[in-house]
Every structure is written in structure tokens, then in C-alpha cells.
Amino acid sequence: MAIASVNPATGELLKTFTPLTDQEIEHKLALADRTFATYRHTSFSDRAQWMHQAADILEAKKTELGIVMTLEMGKTLKSAISEIEKCAHLCRYYAESAPQYLADTPAQTDASRTMIRYQPLGIILAVMPWNFPFWQVFRFAVPALMAGNVGLLKHASNVPQCALAIAEIFHAAGIPEGAFQTLLVGADKVAGLVADHRIKAATLTGSEPAGQSLAAIAGHHLKKVVLELGGSDPFIVFKSADLELAVNTAVTARVMNNGQTCIAAKRFIIEEAIAEQFINKFVEKFKALKVGDPLQPETDVGPLATPQILNELDSQVKASVDLGAKILVGGYRLKDKGNFYAPTILADIPQGAPPYYQEFFGPVASIFRVKSLAEAIALANSTDFGLGASFWSNDEQEIEQAIEQIEAGAVFVNGMVKSDPRVPFGGIKRSGFGRELGCEGIREFVNIKTIWIK
Ligand code: NAP
């Protein structure tokens, strides 16, 4: 895939980039390796100061950076600006909390003194997706850098300007150049990087095939990996829920980021008693969504990031309809130019149709009606994914049963699934393994060293 910025709203080629040569990659790897030798000894207070500075830069340039994002991958400018603000918040969060998360932890054993120490590993390779081009990278980089590691970023090939801007922000904040570098390379260079003895671990956020490929190579070289992969999150609504709030949230949870979010609600599982009401309101709100230029403040849904994603989504909808699913709204491409798809709701979905087992990465919601909570949970768990789940009810017993039995890395009750620096984020099953964020996230890429003193 060429490394290039193409405006998804118009199809216009904005800029192309020449991938790094092997020699340039080697130069960056050697710089990262040299930098780690000194960076690992920098103090928490130095690193925290740099993170606060990075947060200041992000806040000062949020509109400018937001536009870069919108032009490269099509998210609405207002959501791009929120993403930058969230990254700034993350920088400040770990600047404050990393020293406490990584402080020596005492333990009681037969020794006179026992403790656990958290030490950095070295160069961590991050392979990142385009859908949250800043947030995904910061979510990896901030805790990794606060822990004393150094990072190499291989970003998605369609967001090179975001990738370069992120490295510039960290350097302008005072972080040494070799501690965080962007590698403008294609996916074909990842295997060689993972194999390199100087790279100690890797993290990938993206699709299942990419995750499988990286994990296989890392496994061969016995390197630690964190994977954040796809999802087909259920959004389950039972009759005691606040229906109005549930419907409003359902719309946001499906179409945020133009529908291209791993933790977007994708399968809406509704108790039969309220299904008609829920569906009517849901359809009405989908019809009211404004699709168009992502730079305009009134736009709710912008274009999909690439023509391939548009084609894939369109064929998933067509395959579902061919098998008997009904379209309640949408179901077609929009406009002549750009990767626009109408917000779509599918219902009466026959077993075995794509919404049962595939991720729909765009503004397409699938509705399922159920008669009991057991049926809802069985349906929720019937995919290979296990990222997040949203459950809506005001019945304590139902809530407890859902929390206990849903197979996912997170269950949000009466709210939509979201990432929050204060709590871990990640999936189970084919949604990946390992965690980002929270205390668990910053401890993924450290040597957890046991110290036992007689
Ligand atoms: P993708 O095609 O897998 O790309 C993600 C990254 O992996 C890109 O940098 C890509 O590079 C690279 N890549 C692709 N194939 C590779 C391979 N065989 N070996 C090594 N690297 C490879 O995914 P995407 O379409 O950009 O992103 C959408 C997917 O990401 C969805 O499934 C979504 O659910 C998932 N996602 C998950 C999370 C989470 O936290 N769980 C968050 C966001 C997105 P190139 O661009 O150069 O191909």
C-alpha cells in the first residue's frame, strides 16, 4: 500500500511519501537503541514535564492537528479535535500516575526484604491503525515513554502526516529524538523489525490478519506482544432501561467516527417487549443524521477512510440482504465523490448472515430481537470477538447476570463502551490480548522484577 494522504471526502491525492530505505530504517533503529541506554535513566519528573509540555502543544494546536486528521481519514473535525484533547488528558494522566504505578511494590516472603520493581524493556514497536490516528498512538506511547521505554511507530499507510506530526510533538515537548520515532514504512517491513534483536516487544492495533501475522513472527522470536484487534460489540437493551437515553446513546455508539471504531456498538440486541418502540425511534434518528463534509460543524457522519472499506461494507450489506435481511433505512452509497455510505439499519437477520460473525466497519447497525436475558447473552457471546459490551437495564439481577456472563474485555452498564485512561482497555477471544491504559497498561511493557533480600 502506497504511503499517501488521500482526502476520503473527495478522493483527492494530497501528498505522497517515499518509504524509508533499509539504510534509513537501520539508522533509526540504531538511534533508538543508543537513546534507550540514557533515556531509561531519566527521572519520572523529567518525563512528566515532557508529557505536560506535549499536552500543552496538543491543546494549543488542536484545530490545526484536527484538520490534518480529518483530511487524511475523514472523521468529523469536531471529533478530531476531541481526540486531540483526549490525548492531552492522557499525557497529563500518566505524568501524574506513572510514578505511583511503577513504584517498587513491597511483598511479604521468608526474606527480610522483598519487593517488585518495574524496569523498562527497551525499544517497543507499535503498529497502529488509521481510525484514531492520534489516540491509538498516544495510548501506546505515553505509558511506554513514562516507563522508560523508547518507541518506534509504524503507522497506517494512509495517515503519514498524522504519524509525522506526532513525532514532532514529542520532540518539541523535549523528549529526545531517539526516544520516539516514526518509520514511514509499509506493512512488509514489520516482520524484519520484529525479528531485529534490538526490538524487545511489539504492539499492534488493527485487523485480525495483521494481528495474526505479527503475533506469529513475535512468537517465533519469543517477544512479548499486545494485540488490540476487531470487535462486534453487542448493545443489549432490556425493558426496565431508560429507552430514550438508550436509543440516543445507541446512535452515537454506532456512528461515532463514521462507524469505524473497534468498540462501536454493532449488534443491537433488544428485548421483544420494547423492540418495536426502540426500532421506531432508532430508525427516526438514523434518518435525521447529516452525512457530508467532515470539516463542517453540522456534519454527523463523514466518509469512510478508504474506497476499500466502502466496498467491503457495501458487500457485507448486500450479502446480508441476499440471505434475507431487511433494510430499515439506508443500504446504499452516497454521492459521486468520496467514500460516503448512508447510515443503515438491518433487521430480520437470518442466522449465518454476516452480522452474526463479521465486523461491520462503517455506519451499519444490525438489530436482533430476543425473548429472554439468557437468549440475549448467548447471542452476544456467539461471535469470535470479545472486546466490549453495553448493557441497558435497571434491574439489579439482570445487570449482575450480564456482567458475569458476557464474554468481553469490558461491560458498560447504562452507558456506551469507551476508553478511559483510568481503567484498562482490551479484549478477549479474537479481539486480542493484553491491556492498554490504567495501571495494567503501563505494566505491559516492563520487566516485572522480583527482588528478594535475605
Ligand atoms: P489493518 O489493515 O490491520 O492495519 C493496521 C496496521 O497494521 C497498519 O499500520 C497496517 O499497515 C498494519 N498491517 C497490515 N497488515 C499487516 C501485516 N500483515 N503485518 C504487519 N502489519 C500489518 O487494520 P485497519 O483496517 O487499519 O484498522 C481497522 C481494524 O482495527 C478493525 O478491525 C478495528 O476493529 C481494529 N481496531 C481495533 C482497536 C482496538 O483497540 N481493539 C482499535 C482500533 C481499531 P498498512 O497501513 O501499511 O497496511
Side-chain angles (χ1 to χ4, degrees):
M1 192 169 162
I3 302 178
S5 310
V6 178
N7 184 347
T10 61
E12 186 193 351
L13 174 66
L14 303 174
K15 204 165 176 179
T16 51
F17 294 80
T18 310
L20 296 183
T21 61
D22 288 345
Q23 214 177 1
E24 287 165 330
I25 296 172
E26 170 53 35
H27 175 77
K28 287 190 182 253
L29 258 171
L31 177 62
D33 199 40
R34 281 199 307 279
T35 306
F36 177 62
T38 49
Y39 184 78
R40 65 176 304 166
H41 300 299
T42 56
S43 66
F44 278 130
S45 91
D46 280 346
R47 296 175 204 159
Q49 204 187 327
W50 294 327
M51 286 304 163
H52 281 297
Q53 185 63 29
D56 289 345
I57 296 169
L58 287 165
E59 281 159 357
K61 293 181 148 188
K62 63 184 177 186
T63 305
E64 185 186 320
L65 296 168
I67 291 171
V68 174
M69 239 191 278
T70 299
L71 291 179
E72 281 197 320
M73 54 66 66
K75 70 171 61 199
T76 60
L77 179 56
K78 60 192 172 206
S79 61
I81 292 172
S82 307
E83 184 172 333
I84 299 290
E85 288 168 345
K86 192 168 174 178
C87 293
H89 172 64
L90 178 76
C91 291
R92 298 198 198 283
Y93 174 75
Y94 272 118
E96 300 302 324
S97 58
Q100 165 206 333
Y101 288 154
L102 299 179
D104 286 353
T105 310
Q108 296 296 326
T109 68
D110 55 334
S112 59
R113 235 175 110 213
T114 310
M115 59 190 168
I116 300 146
R117 181 162 291 176
Y118 306 94
Q119 293 183 314
L121 294 179
I123 307 176
I124 316 294
L125 174 70
V127 182
M128 290 288 143
W130 47 265
N131 65 338
F132 289 89
F134 273 68
W135 173 247
Q136 305 290 4
V137 175
F138 275 77
R139 194 165 78 169
F140 146 73
V142 174
L145 289 165
M146 282 306 298
N149 292 303
V150 302
L152 283 181
L153 168 66
K154 181 266 174 279
H155 214 328
S157 293
N158 57 332
V159 288
Q161 298 191 58
C162 290
L164 293 169
I166 293 168
E168 267 174 39
I169 291 163
F170 282 133
H171 301 157
I175 290 169
E177 193 196 331
F180 185 89
Q181 297 176 87
T182 284
L183 301 176
L184 287 185
V185 293
D188 58 320
K189 293 291 176 194
V190 170
L193 286 163
V194 174
D196 190 284
H197 70 279
R198 291 163 290 187
I199 289 188
K200 302 299 185 218
T203 179
L204 181 142
T205 300
S207 62
E208 260 187 78
Q212 281 173 311
S213 162
L214 181 127
I217 298 152
H220 181 76
H221 294 280
L222 297 176
K223 292 188 184 175
K224 168 93 186 244
V225 173
V226 168
L227 294 180
E228 299 285 1
L229 308 179
S232 187
D233 286 7
F235 187 104
I236 306 170
V237 188
F238 267 64
K239 65 174 181 283
S240 64
D242 177 338
L243 194 67
E244 199 60 39
L245 184 62
V247 177
N248 285 334
T249 311
V251 177
T252 310
R254 178 57 283 206
V255 305
M256 64 175 174
N257 211 36
N258 308 338
Q260 304 158 118
T261 305
C262 53
I263 46 166
K266 289 166 188 145
R267 295 175 299 140
F268 295 83
I269 301 172
I270 317 296
E271 188 175 12
E272 189 64 61
I274 50 157
E276 213 55 45
Q277 267 176 291
F278 181 95
I279 292 168
N280 289 340
K281 287 173 190 281
F282 198 41
V283 169
E284 199 183 303
K285 288 180 193 298
F286 257 55
K287 281 185 179 157
L289 289 168
K290 206 164 169 356
V291 183
D293 181 353
L295 290 168
Q296 295 308 315
E298 66 276 11
T299 299
D300 299 308
V301 182
L304 298 169
T306 65
Q308 292 76 7
I309 293 162
L310 175 67
N311 290 339
E312 168 74 13
L313 188 71
D314 194 34
S315 34
Q316 287 174 309
V317 170
K318 287 196 170 114
S320 306
V321 171
D322 286 348
L323 288 168
K326 214 194 283 167
I327 290 174
L328 301 185
V329 57
Y332 45 84
R333 296 163 188 244
L334 288 170
K335 306 183 195 294
D336 301 335
K337 269 195 310 188
N339 315 319
F340 291 94
Y341 199 79
T344 298
I345 300 177
L346 296 174
D348 298 344
I349 300 159
Q351 205 124 37
Y356 274 90
Y357 60 96
Q358 287 177 3
E359 178 180 32
F360 278 51
F361 220 53
V364 177
S366 298
I367 298 210
F368 302 85
R369 295 169 179 240
V370 288
K371 294 200 173 61
S372 67
L373 185 54
E375 192 189 343
I377 292 172
L379 183 56
N381 291 343
S382 69
T383 72
D384 285 336
F385 297 111
L387 198 50
S390 178
F391 182 69
W392 292 75
S393 166
N394 280 306
D395 179 311
E396 282 306 318
Q397 258 185 329
E398 282 178 356
I399 292 173
E400 191 43 46
Q401 192 180 339
I403 292 170
E404 191 54 32
Q405 295 179 4
I406 289 176
E407 295 165 0
V411 177
F412 279 61
V413 177
N414 296 326
M416 63 187 258
V417 181
K418 58 186 183 198
S419 57
D420 179 327
R422 295 166 293 189
V423 284
F425 181 96
I428 57 168
K429 296 158 77 176
R430 296 182 78 87
S431 291
F433 44 77
R435 290 293 179 265
E436 293 187 295
L437 302 176
C439 177
E440 291 76 6
I442 200 169
R443 288 185 182 170
E444 285 284 5
F445 294 121
V446 289
N447 173 16
I448 301 176
K449 186 184 270 181
T450 296
I451 297 163
W452 188 98
I453 304 167
K454 184 74 184 164

